[in-house]
Short mmCIF file of all heavy atoms in Angstrom, two decimals:
data_model
loop_
_atom_site.label_atom_id
_atom_site.label_comp_id
_atom_site.label_asym_id
_atom_site.label_seq_id
_atom_site.Cartn_x
_atom_site.Cartn_y
_atom_site.Cartn_z
N ALA Z 1 0.80 -1.21 -0.06
CA ALA Z 1 0.12 0.05 0.01
C ALA Z 1 0.86 1.28 0.06
O ALA Z 1 0.41 2.28 -0.55
CB ALA Z 1 -0.94 0.01 1.22
N ILE Z 2 1.96 1.27 0.60
CA ILE Z 2 2.94 2.43 0.58
C ILE Z 2 3.46 2.82 -0.77
O ILE Z 2 3.90 3.94 -1.03
CB ILE Z 2 4.01 2.34 1.69
CG1 ILE Z 2 4.61 3.77 1.97
CG2 ILE Z 2 5.07 1.30 1.38
CD1 ILE Z 2 5.66 3.81 3.14
N GLN Z 3 3.39 1.85 -1.74
CA GLN Z 3 4.05 2.14 -3.07
C GLN Z 3 3.05 2.85 -3.87
O GLN Z 3 1.94 2.43 -3.95
CB GLN Z 3 4.39 0.83 -3.71
CG GLN Z 3 5.41 0.09 -2.89
CD GLN Z 3 5.74 -1.30 -3.46
OE1 GLN Z 3 4.91 -1.99 -3.89
NE2 GLN Z 3 7.04 -1.76 -3.39
N PRO Z 4 3.34 4.02 -4.45
CA PRO Z 4 2.41 4.77 -5.22
C PRO Z 4 1.82 4.13 -6.36
O PRO Z 4 2.47 3.23 -7.12
CB PRO Z 4 3.17 6.04 -5.65
CG PRO Z 4 4.59 5.92 -4.89
CD PRO Z 4 4.75 4.56 -4.55
N ASN Z 5 0.65 4.49 -6.73
CA ASN Z 5 -0.18 3.81 -7.91
C ASN Z 5 -0.04 4.84 -9.15
O ASN Z 5 -0.32 5.95 -9.01
CB ASN Z 5 -1.58 3.73 -7.58
CG ASN Z 5 -1.90 2.96 -6.33
OD1 ASN Z 5 -1.45 1.84 -6.16
ND2 ASN Z 5 -2.36 3.67 -5.27
N LEU Z 6 0.47 4.25 -10.21
CA LEU Z 6 0.64 4.94 -11.43
C LEU Z 6 -0.56 4.74 -12.28
O LEU Z 6 -0.89 3.48 -12.59
CB LEU Z 6 1.97 4.60 -12.10
CG LEU Z 6 2.14 5.25 -13.50
CD1 LEU Z 6 2.43 6.84 -13.33
CD2 LEU Z 6 3.45 4.72 -14.27
N VAL Z 7 -1.24 5.75 -12.84
CA VAL Z 7 -2.35 5.60 -13.78
C VAL Z 7 -2.13 6.72 -14.83
O VAL Z 7 -1.04 7.17 -14.94
CB VAL Z 7 -3.78 5.70 -13.10
CG1 VAL Z 7 -4.13 4.35 -12.34
CG2 VAL Z 7 -3.87 6.78 -12.25
N GLN Z 8 -3.09 6.95 -15.62
CA GLN Z 8 -2.95 8.00 -16.71
C GLN Z 8 -4.25 8.85 -16.78
O GLN Z 8 -5.29 8.45 -16.37
CB GLN Z 8 -2.75 7.23 -18.04
CG GLN Z 8 -3.95 6.38 -18.51
CD GLN Z 8 -3.43 5.46 -19.76
OE1 GLN Z 8 -3.18 5.99 -20.80
NE2 GLN Z 8 -3.45 4.14 -19.42
N THR Z 9 -3.97 9.99 -17.37
CA THR Z 9 -5.18 10.88 -17.71
C THR Z 9 -5.80 10.52 -19.06
O THR Z 9 -5.24 9.63 -19.77
CB THR Z 9 -4.68 12.38 -17.93
OG1 THR Z 9 -3.90 12.39 -19.03
CG2 THR Z 9 -3.87 12.80 -16.63
N LEU Z 10 -6.88 11.10 -19.44
CA LEU Z 10 -7.57 10.81 -20.69
C LEU Z 10 -6.58 11.09 -21.85
O LEU Z 10 -6.68 10.50 -22.95
CB LEU Z 10 -8.79 11.57 -20.86
CG LEU Z 10 -10.00 11.25 -20.00
CD1 LEU Z 10 -11.21 12.28 -20.19
CD2 LEU Z 10 -10.50 9.82 -20.23
N GLU Z 11 -5.65 12.02 -21.64
CA GLU Z 11 -4.70 12.39 -22.71
C GLU Z 11 -3.26 11.59 -22.53
O GLU Z 11 -2.26 12.06 -23.09
CB GLU Z 11 -4.50 13.88 -22.66
CG GLU Z 11 -5.65 14.67 -22.85
CD GLU Z 11 -5.44 16.11 -23.11
OE1 GLU Z 11 -4.36 16.57 -23.44
OE2 GLU Z 11 -6.52 16.85 -23.20
N ASN Z 12 -3.40 10.45 -21.88
CA ASN Z 12 -2.27 9.63 -21.69
C ASN Z 12 -1.13 10.16 -20.94
O ASN Z 12 0.05 9.76 -21.21
CB ASN Z 12 -1.87 8.90 -22.98
CG ASN Z 12 -3.05 8.37 -23.84
OD1 ASN Z 12 -3.34 8.77 -24.89
ND2 ASN Z 12 -3.82 7.40 -23.14
N ASN Z 13 -1.29 11.03 -20.10
CA ASN Z 13 -0.11 11.68 -19.25
C ASN Z 13 -0.16 10.91 -17.92
O ASN Z 13 -1.21 10.43 -17.40
CB ASN Z 13 -0.42 13.11 -19.18
CG ASN Z 13 -0.11 13.82 -20.36
OD1 ASN Z 13 0.97 13.54 -21.09
ND2 ASN Z 13 -1.07 14.81 -20.83
N PRO Z 14 1.04 10.76 -17.29
CA PRO Z 14 1.10 10.09 -16.06
C PRO Z 14 0.51 10.72 -14.83
O PRO Z 14 0.51 11.97 -14.80
CB PRO Z 14 2.63 9.93 -15.82
CG PRO Z 14 3.30 10.92 -16.74
CD PRO Z 14 2.36 11.36 -17.77
N ALA Z 15 -0.09 10.05 -14.01
CA ALA Z 15 -0.77 10.46 -12.82
C ALA Z 15 -0.46 9.40 -11.66
O ALA Z 15 -0.59 8.20 -11.71
CB ALA Z 15 -2.18 10.62 -12.94
N PHE Z 16 -0.03 10.10 -10.55
CA PHE Z 16 0.14 9.19 -9.21
C PHE Z 16 -1.07 9.45 -8.48
O PHE Z 16 -1.46 10.55 -8.14
CB PHE Z 16 1.35 9.72 -8.47
CG PHE Z 16 2.68 9.08 -9.04
CD1 PHE Z 16 3.76 9.95 -9.14
CD2 PHE Z 16 2.86 7.80 -9.32
CE1 PHE Z 16 5.00 9.50 -9.64
CE2 PHE Z 16 4.05 7.30 -9.83
CZ PHE Z 16 5.12 8.20 -9.99
N VAL Z 17 -1.76 8.37 -8.18
CA VAL Z 17 -2.93 8.42 -7.23
C VAL Z 17 -2.69 7.62 -6.09
O VAL Z 17 -2.71 6.43 -6.05
CB VAL Z 17 -4.25 7.88 -8.10
CG1 VAL Z 17 -5.40 7.98 -7.18
CG2 VAL Z 17 -4.46 8.73 -9.34
N HIS Z 18 -2.47 8.42 -4.88
CA HIS Z 18 -2.04 7.57 -3.78
C HIS Z 18 -2.46 8.21 -2.40
O HIS Z 18 -2.10 9.35 -2.20
CB HIS Z 18 -0.49 7.45 -3.78
CG HIS Z 18 0.09 6.38 -2.90
ND1 HIS Z 18 1.26 6.66 -2.17
CD2 HIS Z 18 -0.46 5.17 -2.52
CE1 HIS Z 18 1.50 5.53 -1.48
NE2 HIS Z 18 0.52 4.63 -1.56
N GLY Z 19 -2.96 7.42 -1.55
CA GLY Z 19 -3.45 8.02 -0.24
C GLY Z 19 -4.69 8.68 -0.37
O GLY Z 19 -5.06 9.20 -1.54
N GLY Z 20 -5.36 8.99 0.79
CA GLY Z 20 -6.69 9.73 0.62
C GLY Z 20 -7.29 10.23 1.85
O GLY Z 20 -8.47 10.16 2.07
N PRO Z 21 -6.40 10.86 2.69
CA PRO Z 21 -7.11 11.54 3.87
C PRO Z 21 -7.98 12.68 3.53
O PRO Z 21 -7.65 13.41 2.75
CB PRO Z 21 -5.80 12.02 4.63
CG PRO Z 21 -4.76 12.30 3.70
CD PRO Z 21 -4.94 11.23 2.62
N PHE Z 22 -9.27 12.70 4.19
CA PHE Z 22 -10.15 13.83 4.01
C PHE Z 22 -9.56 15.00 4.54
O PHE Z 22 -8.83 15.02 5.53
CB PHE Z 22 -11.46 13.56 4.70
CG PHE Z 22 -12.37 12.64 4.10
CD1 PHE Z 22 -13.60 12.33 4.64
CD2 PHE Z 22 -12.17 12.19 2.81
CE1 PHE Z 22 -14.51 11.36 4.00
CE2 PHE Z 22 -12.99 11.23 2.10
CZ PHE Z 22 -14.18 10.92 2.70
N ALA Z 23 -9.87 16.23 3.98
CA ALA Z 23 -9.32 17.49 4.42
C ALA Z 23 -10.13 18.15 5.47
O ALA Z 23 -9.66 19.06 6.16
CB ALA Z 23 -9.13 18.44 3.20
N ASN Z 24 -11.39 17.67 5.69
CA ASN Z 24 -12.26 18.29 6.82
C ASN Z 24 -12.03 17.55 8.06
O ASN Z 24 -12.21 18.17 9.15
CB ASN Z 24 -13.73 18.28 6.33
CG ASN Z 24 -14.27 16.94 6.05
OD1 ASN Z 24 -13.46 15.99 5.89
ND2 ASN Z 24 -15.63 16.86 6.02
N ILE Z 25 -11.45 16.33 8.09
CA ILE Z 25 -11.12 15.69 9.24
C ILE Z 25 -9.70 15.12 9.37
O ILE Z 25 -9.32 14.72 10.45
CB ILE Z 25 -12.08 14.52 9.63
CG1 ILE Z 25 -12.27 13.57 8.30
CG2 ILE Z 25 -13.46 15.04 9.96
CD1 ILE Z 25 -13.28 12.50 8.52
N ALA Z 26 -8.97 15.24 8.33
CA ALA Z 26 -7.52 14.73 8.40
C ALA Z 26 -6.74 15.74 7.50
O ALA Z 26 -7.18 16.91 7.40
CB ALA Z 26 -7.37 13.33 7.75
N HIS Z 27 -5.46 15.44 7.03
CA HIS Z 27 -4.69 16.53 6.44
C HIS Z 27 -4.88 16.59 4.93
O HIS Z 27 -4.28 17.48 4.39
CB HIS Z 27 -3.26 16.26 6.93
CG HIS Z 27 -2.51 15.13 6.19
ND1 HIS Z 27 -2.74 13.86 6.51
CD2 HIS Z 27 -1.49 15.15 5.27
CE1 HIS Z 27 -1.90 13.13 5.77
NE2 HIS Z 27 -1.31 13.91 5.03
N GLY Z 28 -5.69 15.81 4.29
CA GLY Z 28 -6.24 16.10 3.00
C GLY Z 28 -5.22 16.26 1.87
O GLY Z 28 -5.44 17.03 0.90
N CYS Z 29 -4.08 15.53 1.87
CA CYS Z 29 -3.16 15.53 0.75
C CYS Z 29 -2.78 14.12 0.31
O CYS Z 29 -2.83 13.20 1.16
CB CYS Z 29 -1.82 16.31 1.18
SG CYS Z 29 -2.08 17.85 1.89
N ASN Z 30 -2.26 14.08 -0.95
CA ASN Z 30 -1.87 12.68 -1.34
C ASN Z 30 -0.49 12.36 -0.63
O ASN Z 30 0.01 13.27 0.14
CB ASN Z 30 -1.69 12.58 -2.87
CG ASN Z 30 -0.50 13.27 -3.39
OD1 ASN Z 30 -0.13 14.43 -3.09
ND2 ASN Z 30 0.27 12.50 -4.21
N SER Z 31 -0.03 11.26 -0.93
CA SER Z 31 1.17 10.78 0.00
C SER Z 31 2.47 11.55 -0.39
O SER Z 31 2.65 11.99 -1.51
CB SER Z 31 1.48 9.24 -0.29
OG SER Z 31 2.04 9.07 -1.52
N VAL Z 32 3.27 11.65 0.61
CA VAL Z 32 4.66 12.22 0.54
C VAL Z 32 5.49 11.55 -0.57
O VAL Z 32 6.13 11.96 -1.35
CB VAL Z 32 5.35 12.44 1.90
CG1 VAL Z 32 6.81 12.68 1.72
CG2 VAL Z 32 4.62 13.50 2.68
N VAL Z 33 5.43 10.09 -0.45
CA VAL Z 33 6.14 9.24 -1.24
C VAL Z 33 5.74 9.58 -2.78
O VAL Z 33 6.65 9.69 -3.63
CB VAL Z 33 5.86 7.75 -1.01
CG1 VAL Z 33 6.63 6.81 -1.92
CG2 VAL Z 33 6.38 7.32 0.33
N ALA Z 34 4.47 9.69 -3.05
CA ALA Z 34 4.14 9.99 -4.44
C ALA Z 34 4.61 11.24 -4.96
O ALA Z 34 5.17 11.31 -6.02
CB ALA Z 34 2.58 9.78 -4.61
N THR Z 35 4.37 12.28 -4.15
CA THR Z 35 4.72 13.71 -4.43
C THR Z 35 6.33 13.81 -4.66
O THR Z 35 6.70 14.45 -5.68
CB THR Z 35 4.26 14.77 -3.50
OG1 THR Z 35 2.84 14.61 -3.20
CG2 THR Z 35 4.45 16.07 -3.85
N THR Z 36 7.02 13.30 -3.71
CA THR Z 36 8.44 13.43 -3.80
C THR Z 36 9.07 12.68 -4.93
O THR Z 36 10.01 13.06 -5.66
CB THR Z 36 9.22 13.11 -2.46
OG1 THR Z 36 8.72 11.85 -2.07
CG2 THR Z 36 8.90 14.05 -1.31
N THR Z 37 8.45 11.42 -5.22
CA THR Z 37 8.92 10.69 -6.32
C THR Z 37 8.62 11.36 -7.66
O THR Z 37 9.41 11.55 -8.57
CB THR Z 37 8.28 9.27 -6.32
OG1 THR Z 37 8.63 8.61 -5.13
CG2 THR Z 37 8.74 8.47 -7.43
N ALA Z 38 7.34 11.93 -7.76
CA ALA Z 38 7.08 12.75 -9.01
C ALA Z 38 7.93 13.88 -9.29
O ALA Z 38 8.26 14.15 -10.29
CB ALA Z 38 5.47 13.06 -8.88
N LEU Z 39 8.28 14.54 -8.14
CA LEU Z 39 9.21 15.66 -8.29
C LEU Z 39 10.57 15.28 -8.89
O LEU Z 39 11.25 16.12 -9.51
CB LEU Z 39 9.41 16.41 -6.96
CG LEU Z 39 8.20 17.25 -6.53
CD1 LEU Z 39 8.37 17.65 -5.04
CD2 LEU Z 39 8.06 18.52 -7.40
N LYS Z 40 11.04 14.04 -8.74
CA LYS Z 40 12.20 13.56 -9.22
C LYS Z 40 12.24 13.13 -10.60
O LYS Z 40 13.24 12.90 -11.33
CB LYS Z 40 12.77 12.26 -8.31
CG LYS Z 40 13.01 12.68 -6.85
CD LYS Z 40 14.13 13.62 -6.64
CE LYS Z 40 14.42 13.86 -5.22
NZ LYS Z 40 15.30 14.96 -4.97
N LEU Z 41 10.89 13.00 -11.15
CA LEU Z 41 10.72 12.50 -12.46
C LEU Z 41 10.21 13.46 -13.48
O LEU Z 41 10.17 13.17 -14.67
CB LEU Z 41 9.74 11.25 -12.43
CG LEU Z 41 10.15 10.19 -11.43
CD1 LEU Z 41 8.93 9.17 -11.43
CD2 LEU Z 41 11.36 9.46 -11.92
N ALA Z 42 9.75 14.63 -13.08
CA ALA Z 42 9.09 15.59 -13.88
C ALA Z 42 9.59 17.07 -13.70
O ALA Z 42 10.21 17.43 -12.62
CB ALA Z 42 7.65 15.59 -13.62
N ASP Z 43 9.31 17.84 -14.68
CA ASP Z 43 9.64 19.33 -14.63
C ASP Z 43 8.58 19.96 -13.56
O ASP Z 43 8.93 20.89 -12.88
CB ASP Z 43 9.57 20.06 -15.89
CG ASP Z 43 10.43 19.45 -17.06
OD1 ASP Z 43 11.54 18.95 -16.55
OD2 ASP Z 43 10.03 19.51 -18.12
N TYR Z 44 7.35 19.47 -13.76
CA TYR Z 44 6.22 20.04 -12.96
C TYR Z 44 5.38 19.01 -12.42
O TYR Z 44 5.10 17.92 -13.03
CB TYR Z 44 5.39 20.95 -13.92
CG TYR Z 44 5.98 22.27 -14.17
CD1 TYR Z 44 6.83 22.45 -15.31
CD2 TYR Z 44 5.67 23.31 -13.31
CE1 TYR Z 44 7.44 23.61 -15.55
CE2 TYR Z 44 6.32 24.57 -13.68
CZ TYR Z 44 7.15 24.68 -14.83
OH TYR Z 44 7.75 25.88 -15.12
N VAL Z 45 5.11 19.17 -11.08
CA VAL Z 45 4.07 18.18 -10.48
C VAL Z 45 2.94 19.05 -9.93
O VAL Z 45 3.11 20.11 -9.26
CB VAL Z 45 4.79 17.54 -9.19
CG1 VAL Z 45 3.82 16.71 -8.47
CG2 VAL Z 45 5.95 16.71 -9.72
N VAL Z 46 1.68 18.66 -10.45
CA VAL Z 46 0.50 19.38 -9.97
C VAL Z 46 -0.18 18.53 -9.03
O VAL Z 46 -0.58 17.38 -9.35
CB VAL Z 46 -0.34 19.60 -11.29
CG1 VAL Z 46 -1.56 20.50 -10.88
CG2 VAL Z 46 0.39 20.31 -12.39
N THR Z 47 -0.41 19.04 -7.82
CA THR Z 47 -1.07 18.21 -6.82
C THR Z 47 -2.34 19.08 -6.27
O THR Z 47 -2.21 20.28 -6.35
CB THR Z 47 -0.01 17.81 -5.73
OG1 THR Z 47 -0.63 16.91 -4.81
CG2 THR Z 47 0.36 19.02 -4.77
#
């Protein structure tokens, strides 16, 4: 479960979909592992 999930957008661009805390009762962001890994692989990471 700690390993990020790779999927794609409708335009076949990479997307990491990982973790899911609610923002009204938890901290509401995707995983640090997914974000930091994406930052090492791309010019831009949109989260």
Side-chain angles (χ1 to χ4, degrees):
I2 195 176
Q3 297 174 326
N5 306 297
L6 178 68
V7 285
Q8 62 193 293
T9 68
L10 289 175
E11 300 190 12
N12 311 120
N13 291 312
F16 282 133
V17 179
H18 195 219
F22 280 175
N24 58 348
I25 48 182
H27 74 289
C29 308
N30 80 310
S31 76
V32 165
V33 174
T35 306
T36 51
T37 303
L39 284 166
K40 299 295 183 189
L41 304 174
D43 304 327
Y44 284 85
V45 172
V46 185
T47 191

